[in-house]
């Protein structure tokens, strides 16, 4: 039990399709092909080759195996034309809406398929946001494993229902960007994590994606317990391929391979974007016995089984991916996804302050609009006409480059068109025969006294490769304060790629409304105008904790910097399960806005909480060991054992959605944890609906490190249902004898 050391788990389990009939059929076909391959052909299927996609394997034309095309991003095909830019993962998470999550996955899947991309490099299920300033937190669904799990499962289902291979990433623990890869300073950071935390926090969302059939998975850049993510036998051979019964293939993150034989034997199946330590070295390793032939065959079989599992040999479109600097046919895959993007855009918009019923706006005739975030690339020091373009243009979206509809790095998207807030608000004002005044540059703009309100647009940018340096910035805070000083009805809209603290001005009496508008994708302006004007009653909820002070995040504010061993940086996850709201609850720190918080234009009442045990509920502490596992783990983990019902009534004056959340106090676990949520279908004033939450075996279990199994806890479980993690509206309890 030495901390920070990864135990060896060998040999690598051979995939066999035993977890379902469709996997079995896919494996039979894959094996037949593999048996006909030459060693060179086998090797070609294990690594990337240069080509049109973000990555592609070599082809085997004589057996009709094409180059298998891999592409980003989790929020829309990146770097291609006539594609849609969807809201980022964190924006989708903020909707707490399962139906939207599934529809998002399906729409995304259709765009990938339409372009002939076999493998989508998402959903993004980690980092989940251990570190508040983490550069990639915005790409995932939020800082809670249950939310990520529900979303990750539905995204996987949606993508794969459209025939595209989903790739949950990054497995596992890449919770910071700082020193994620090795360099001159030394090895990459090592995330040192204990077994229980692995199961209950970080692997949890991946279990759901696997359960929905994810046919691929991406291993991560950094080290885990001092062993690199793509050669970590415990994580790949052990947890993934044994405990979770993974049938698909493991693809490396781009350039994340750091050894040839070690990665092969630890369970890596495909290396991207080039052969790196494989290619000829792999064939040599196989011929001299360092890597077993069965292992090489298993790599191929897993890849091809995934291909057949999704029926990609039948009528899969080809050749929809082109370089931007070469003329090519138009392949338009957008369908009507713009309206879904607009709907999710509005549903993930979080209203956090609204005094004097400032919002919704009531057909104002005169508005002031301020801030660099109101319009597309507003700064003269940037080229104001440049938006979109190819991969190169968009990899590295810049802060203060105008309105933030996506953020930086491989998770950024490339919209065909962008509806900026200014464009959408101008359309509204034109319809109302009004007047606008705007200033997108100044920090202390002229405030026109006749305006009914001033809307200030600011943003908080983040990007892959870097953690953020602050959760706030002085320019934006100063801009907000200056406008508020001069306008008694100041409305602040923040497009935020991750947490944005607001205590510099949140209590200013002239700031009447504040909105976290997230990372909304191409329909940004429509989405925010829909909420501002009340066409959509906001129901978005924060999928992370917004603290009053950055210091409230404590040691989880920043990525770890350990000056004592710079070459072997260690990040000890000693807080275990206590990140985000679990940490704030445990330490009794009052956040500015808690996890799950968001306001509505109406009010809701909760009543009649009832809890029923399922008639056939099996409450034995451990699942039945004689039942074979499925992909994702033991199938009984997903059995419903209890149902919780509550009646929700719209007690206000306008129609709206409530996002009801269930938190469970599991004995021997953090005080309260999200274990259910439902965005209730629109309720008219006075209307009621019954909402049901299902509690599964996994929901009431903790991971027992001694028995190596999920164990139902005994005793009293508190059940809280409410409008946020701290706004409890109905309570009950479950007692497990
Ligand atoms: C990212 C992955 C991405 C890959 C390919 C890497 O830098 O970490 O998430 O899929 O690049 O673009």
């Amino acid at each position: 039990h030495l901390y920070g050391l990864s135990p060896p788990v060998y040999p690598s389990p051979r995939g066999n399709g035993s977890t379902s009939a469709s996997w079995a059929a896919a494996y039979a076909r894959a094996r037949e092909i593999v048996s006909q391959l030459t060693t060179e052909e086998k090797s070609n299927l294990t690594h990337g080759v240069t080509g049109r996609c973000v990555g592609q394997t070599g082809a085997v034309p004589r057996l009709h195996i094409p180059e298998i095309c891999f592409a980003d991003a989790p929020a829309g095909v990146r770097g291609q034309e006539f594609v849609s830019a969807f809201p980022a993962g964190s924006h989708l998470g903020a909707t707490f809406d399962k139906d939207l999550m599934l529809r998002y996955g399906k729409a995304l899947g259709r765009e990938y398929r339409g372009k002939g991309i076999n493998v989508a490099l998402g959903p993004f299920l980690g980092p989940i946001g251990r570190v508040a300033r983490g550069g990639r937190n915005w790409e995932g669904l939020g800082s809670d494993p249950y939310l990520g799990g529900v979303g990750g499962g539905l995204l996987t289902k949606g993508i794969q229902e459209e025939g595209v291979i989903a790739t949950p990433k990054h497995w596992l623990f890449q919770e910071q960007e700082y020193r994620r890869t090795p360099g001159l300073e030394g090895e990459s950071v090592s995330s040192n994590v204990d077994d229980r935390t692995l199961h209950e926090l970080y692997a949890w969302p991946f279990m759901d994606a696997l359960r929905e059939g994810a046919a691929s998975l991406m291993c991560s850049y950094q080290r885990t317990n001092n062993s690199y993510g793509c050669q970590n036998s415990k994580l790949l051979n052990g947890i993934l391929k044994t405990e979770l019964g993974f049938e698909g293939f493991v693809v490396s993150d781009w350039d994340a391979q750091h050894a040839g034989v070690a990665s092969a034997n630890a369970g890596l199946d495909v290396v991207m974007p080039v052969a790196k330590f494989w290619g000829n070295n792999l064939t040599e390793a196989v011929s001299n016995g360092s890597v077993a032939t069965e292992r090489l065959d298993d790599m191929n079989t897993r890849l091809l089984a995934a291909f057949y599992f999704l029926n990609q040999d039948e009528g899969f479109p080809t050749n929809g991916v082109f370089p931007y600097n070469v003329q090519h046919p138009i392949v338009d895959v957008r369908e009507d996804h713009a309206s879904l993007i607009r709907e999710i855009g509005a549903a993930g918009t979080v209203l956090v302050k609204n005094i004097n019923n400032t919002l919704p706006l009531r057909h104002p005739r005169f508005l002031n609009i301020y801030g660099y975030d109101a319009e597309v690339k507003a700064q003269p020091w940037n080229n104001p006409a440049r938006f979109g373009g190819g991969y190169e243009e968009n990899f590295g979206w810049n802060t203060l480059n105008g309105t933030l509809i996506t953020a930086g790095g491989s998770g950024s998207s490339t919209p065909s068109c962008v509806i900026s807030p200014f464009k959408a608000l101008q359309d509204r004002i034109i319809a109302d025969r009004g007047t606008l005044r705007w200033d997108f540059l100044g920090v202390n703009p002229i405030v026109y006294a006749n305006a009914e309100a001033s809307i200030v647009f600011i943003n908080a940018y983040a990007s892959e490769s870097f953690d953020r340096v602050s959760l706030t910035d002085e320019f934006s805070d100063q801009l907000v304060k200056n406008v508020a000083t001069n306008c008694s009805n100041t409305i602040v809209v923040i497009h935020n790629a991750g947490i944005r603290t607001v205590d510099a001005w949140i209590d200013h009496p002239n700031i009447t409304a504040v909105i976290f508008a997230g990372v909304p994708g191409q329909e940004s302006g429509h989405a925010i105008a829909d909420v501002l004007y009340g066409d959509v009653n906001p129901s978005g909820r924060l999928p992370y904790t917004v603290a009053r002070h950055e210091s409230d995040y404590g040691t989880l504010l920043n990525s770890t910097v350990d000056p004592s061993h710079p070459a072997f940086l260690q990040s000890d996850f000693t807080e275990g399960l206590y990140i985000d709201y679990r940490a704030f609850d445990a330490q009794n720190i009052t956040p500015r806005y808690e996890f799950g918080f968001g306001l509505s234009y109406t009010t809701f009442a909760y009543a009649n909480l009832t809890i029923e045990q399922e008639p056939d509920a099996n409450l034995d502490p451990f699942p039945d060991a004689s039942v074979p596992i499925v992909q994702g783990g033991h199938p009984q983990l997903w059995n419903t054992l209890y149902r919780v019902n509550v009646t929700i009534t719209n007690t206000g004056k306008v129609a709206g959605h409530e996002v009801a959340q269930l938190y469970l106090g599991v004995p021997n676990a953090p005080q309260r944890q999200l274990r259910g949520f439902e965005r209730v279908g629109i309720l008219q004033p006075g209307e009621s609906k019954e909402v049901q939450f299902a509690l599964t075996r996994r929901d009431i279990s903790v991971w027992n490190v001694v028995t190596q199994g999920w164990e139902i806890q005994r005793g009293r479980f508190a059940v809280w249902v409410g409008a946020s993690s701290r706004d409890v509206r109905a309570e009950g309890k479950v007692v497990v004898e």
Side-chain angles (χ1 to χ4, degrees):
H1 288 298
L2 285 177
Y3 188 73
L5 291 183
S6 194
V9 181
Y10 299 100
S12 192
R14 293 176 71 183
N16 57 26
S18 64
T19 61
S20 76
S22 26
W23 272 116
Y27 263 85
R29 299 187 65 189
R31 274 197 214 100
E32 197 197 308
I33 298 286
V34 174
S35 69
Q36 301 171 55
L37 296 174
T38 65
T39 310
E40 199 194 330
E41 287 167 337
K42 286 182 185 176
S43 164
N44 285 346
L45 286 174
T46 64
H47 65 80
V49 297
T50 325
R52 60 204 172 91
C53 301
V54 172
Q56 52 260 299
T57 59
V60 188
R62 73 180 178 96
L63 296 172
H64 311 289
I65 305 296
E67 282 185 346
I68 294 178
C69 168
F70 296 62
D72 296 309
V77 177
R78 190 191 67 233
Q80 294 299 309
E81 295 153 16
F82 297 92
V83 294
S84 308
F86 291 77
S90 53
H91 199 100
L92 182 66
T95 68
F96 284 77
D97 185 319
K98 296 173 198 167
D99 176 57
L100 291 177
M101 290 169 179
L102 180 62
R103 283 162 62 203
Y104 181 114
K106 285 180 83 80
L108 204 62
R110 290 182 73 79
E111 297 211 1
Y112 274 89
R113 186 184 167 96
K115 289 286 185 188
I117 300 164
N118 304 82
V119 185
L121 298 174
F124 186 104
L125 304 182
I128 70 171
R130 171 181 184 260
V131 173
R133 289 181 181 170
R136 300 189 79 174
N137 296 352
W138 60 277
E139 292 186 61
L141 288 122
S143 300
D144 179 87
Y146 183 90
L147 177 60
V150 171
L154 292 167
L155 288 170
T156 299
K157 181 174 153 76
I159 292 168
Q160 295 205 160
E161 273 177 4
E162 298 300 332
V164 172
I165 296 172
T167 313
K169 69 183 185 184
H170 307 81
W171 176 263
L172 200 60
F173 309 126
Q174 196 194 305
E175 292 291 328
Q176 64 180 57
E177 291 300 280
Y178 179 68
R179 296 275 304 267
R180 68 179 191 175
T181 46
L184 291 177
E185 310 128 295
E187 300 297 331
S188 82
V189 66
S190 175
S191 298
N192 301 326
V193 193
D194 65 86
D195 188 36
R196 179 171 173 191
T197 304
L198 178 155
H199 285 87
E200 292 178 35
L201 203 49
Y202 297 99
W204 179 298
F206 287 88
M207 291 173 72
D208 295 285
L210 294 171
R211 172 102 172 106
E212 290 296 343
S216 166
L217 175 136
M218 186 189 286
C219 52
S220 63
Y221 281 125
Q222 94 301 340
R223 295 181 299 154
T224 288
N225 296 332
N226 287 288
S227 163
Y228 274 101
C230 293
Q231 62 192 59
N232 188 311
S233 66
K234 170 70 181 175
L235 287 183
L236 302 179
N237 290 342
I239 307 287
L240 180 68
K241 290 183 173 177
T242 307
E243 185 186 318
L244 303 182
F246 182 54
E247 303 270 26
F249 64 91
V250 175
V251 59
S252 76
D253 200 342
W254 268 230
D255 247 347
Q257 192 192 39
H258 298 297
V261 170
S263 59
N265 289 336
L268 179 66
D269 300 304
V270 175
V271 58
M272 283 290 166
V274 292
K276 212 164 177 195
F277 294 97
W278 284 358
N280 291 338
N281 292 332
L282 181 63
T283 35
E284 198 188 317
V286 170
S287 63
N288 72 22
S290 311
V291 173
T293 312
E294 291 74 28
R295 180 73 267 271
L296 176 61
D297 287 355
D298 181 50
M299 294 175 192
N300 290 174
T301 311
R302 287 174 174 275
L303 175 73
L304 295 176
F307 178 78
Y308 292 120
F309 184 65
L310 276 302
N311 301 311
Q312 293 191 339
D313 57 319
E314 288 164 27
F316 200 83
T318 49
N319 217 19
V321 172
F322 302 98
Y324 72 97
N325 54 356
V326 172
Q327 236 196 347
H328 55 260
I330 287 175
V331 181
D332 186 344
V333 293
R334 295 169 298 180
E335 302 180 32
D336 186 29
H337 298 156
S339 48
L340 175 64
I341 291 168
R342 179 175 184 164
E343 189 182 345
I344 297 172
T349 297
V350 187
L351 176 69
V352 295
K353 181 177 181 184
N354 190 21
I355 55 173
N356 315 328
N357 289 322
T358 284
L359 295 178
L361 298 171
R362 294 160 192 86
H363 293 279
R365 298 280 313 278
F366 193 161
L367 288 179
N368 296 323
I369 300 186
Y370 301 118
Y372 57 88
D373 181 70
E375 187 51 299
V376 174
K377 299 241 176 159
Q379 274 59 43
W381 55 87
N382 285 308
N383 177 348
R386 201 181 81 188
F387 197 99
Y391 174 89
E392 293 79 1
E393 308 291 314
N394 283 282
F395 194 93
W397 207 268
N398 265 317
T399 187
L400 298 185
N401 262 3
T403 196
L404 186 143
I405 64 118
T406 181
S410 65
S412 70
S413 48
T414 36
S416 319
C417 309
V418 169
I419 306 297
S420 67
F422 183 62
K423 154 94 173 95
L425 290 174
Q426 182 151 256
D427 288 349
R428 298 267 179 168
I429 284 287
I430 290 167
D432 289 336
R433 302 184 54 77
T435 288
L436 279 183
R437 288 288 177 264
W438 63 91
D439 183 339
F440 303 144
L441 298 176
V443 72
N444 195 6
I446 298 170
V447 169
Y448 295 83
N450 250 4
E452 290 157 61
S454 296
I455 312 182
V456 189
F457 287 89
I458 61 173
N459 69 43
Y461 173 81
S463 176
E464 178 180 348
S465 304
F466 310 98
D467 293 312
R468 296 164 63 194
V469 292
S470 167
L471 299 177
T472 178
D473 76 275
E474 263 172 52
F475 179 94
S476 305
D477 283 346
Q478 202 51 56
L479 168 66
V480 169
K481 286 192 269 192
N482 290 341
V483 174
T485 303
N486 298 311
C487 176
S488 62
N489 193 19
T490 298
I491 298 164
V492 183
V493 177
I494 314 168
H495 285 116
N496 57 308
I499 297 167
R500 174 49 158 100
T501 50
V502 292
D503 268 57
W505 39 260
I506 193 70
D507 286 328
H508 195 299
N510 286 351
I511 297 179
T512 49
V514 177
I515 293 177
F516 282 78
V519 186
Q522 67 180 53
E523 300 299 312
S524 173
H526 284 148
I528 194 67
D530 287 347
V531 170
L532 288 169
Y533 279 75
D535 299 346
V536 173
N537 186 347
S539 64
R541 301 301 164 91
L542 297 170
Y544 41 70
T545 300
V546 176
R548 289 171 188 264
H549 312 288
E550 288 199 63
S551 55
D552 291 345
Y553 296 101
T555 53
L556 300 183
L557 173 64
N558 276 311
S559 58
T560 302
V561 187
D562 176 359
S564 52
H565 299 288
F568 299 96
L569 208 60
Q570 304 293 313
S571 173
D572 294 341
F573 287 29
T574 45
E575 74 290 343
L577 300 168
Y578 294 89
I579 69 163
D580 201 78
Y581 69 87
R582 291 164 172 79
F584 280 74
D585 288 350
Q587 295 164 34
N588 234 326
I589 302 172
T590 307
R592 169 53 65 186
Y593 297 121
E594 71 272 18
F595 180 93
F597 177 75
L599 298 172
S600 166
Y601 297 150
T602 187
T603 50
F604 297 96
Y606 290 59
N608 309 333
L609 183 134
T610 59
I611 304 174
E612 273 164 48
Q613 187 178 322
E614 283 288 277
D616 58 350
N618 168 359
L619 292 169
D620 292 345
F622 294 103
D624 183 347
S626 68
V627 176
I629 60 161
V630 294
Q631 194 175 270
H634 195 291
Q636 291 176 350
L637 291 175
W638 282 271
N639 286 355
T640 296
L641 303 182
Y642 294 93
R643 288 187 197 276
V644 179
N645 289 291
V646 71
T647 307
I648 297 181
T649 306
N650 184 344
T651 49
K653 295 198 180 70
V654 290
H657 293 275
E658 173 66 328
V659 169
Q661 301 156 46
L662 183 149
Y663 294 85
L664 199 60
V666 179
N668 313 311
Q671 198 175 323
R672 56 186 155 214
Q673 306 193 82
L674 185 70
R675 286 292 185 262
F677 61 84
E678 207 59 54
R679 182 172 182 241
V680 185
I682 196 135
L683 289 176
Q684 298 302 320
E687 195 185 347
S688 298
K689 255 187 201 146
E690 197 174 37
V691 180
Q692 188 169 81
F693 306 94
L695 294 176
T696 65
R697 173 177 278 272
R698 184 176 55 155
D699 292 335
I700 65 167
S701 297
V702 309
W703 178 257
N704 184 321
V705 298
V706 177
T707 57
Q708 290 289 294
W710 289 95
E711 183 180 26
I712 293 185
Q713 298 303 286
R714 308 276 125 178
R716 182 183 184 279
F717 292 65
V719 176
W720 293 288
V721 176
S724 84
S725 61
R726 291 185 170 221
D727 185 359
V728 176
R729 305 292 186 84
E731 308 191 29
K733 66 173 190 315
V734 166
V735 178
V736 183
E737 307 278 327

